[in-house]
Amino acid sequence: MASKENPRHSMECIEEAEEAVNKLRTALERSGITLPSLRLEPASYAREVPCPLVELGRCTIDVVRMLTAVLPKEGGAAR
């Protein structure tokens, strides 16, 4: 069945997802964290009606520890 989704809407979804990824990258960088593989999944660009997915990628245990340190603990506040 052909999609009735508006192609412009699809492009707006991709642009919105790219903006979200860039904001996440910037926020992580402020905490000294770099996820080199952070990007939109390439298949998101190829779909007729994209539903963007974000690849966070692989990281070292040190990066996992840094992420854990800056994320809120149970109950709210970051460590």
Side-chain angles (χ1 to χ4, degrees):
M1 174 186 265
S3 172
K4 295 181 181 182
E5 195 69 33
N6 178 336
R8 180 66 193 140
H9 174 72
S10 297
M11 190 54 161
E12 288 172 358
C13 289
I14 291 288
E15 290 169 358
E16 185 177 329
E18 288 173 336
E19 181 180 345
V21 167
N22 289 332
K23 286 181 178 182
L24 175 59
R25 182 178 291 113
T26 299
L28 288 169
E29 286 172 356
R30 282 194 302 267
S31 295
I33 300 169
T34 301
L35 295 178
S37 304
L38 179 62
R39 65 181 182 160
L40 280 188
E41 178 187 38
S44 295
Y45 295 99
R47 293 185 58 186
E48 186 174 318
V49 180
C51 180
L53 296 175
V54 176
E55 289 186 2
L56 297 175
R58 298 180 294 181
C59 62
T60 66
I61 297 300
D62 289 339
V63 172
V64 170
R65 289 183 182 121
M66 290 189 318
L67 285 168
T68 302
V70 299
L71 292 172
K73 294 188 293 183
E74 186 175 335
R79 296 181 198 196

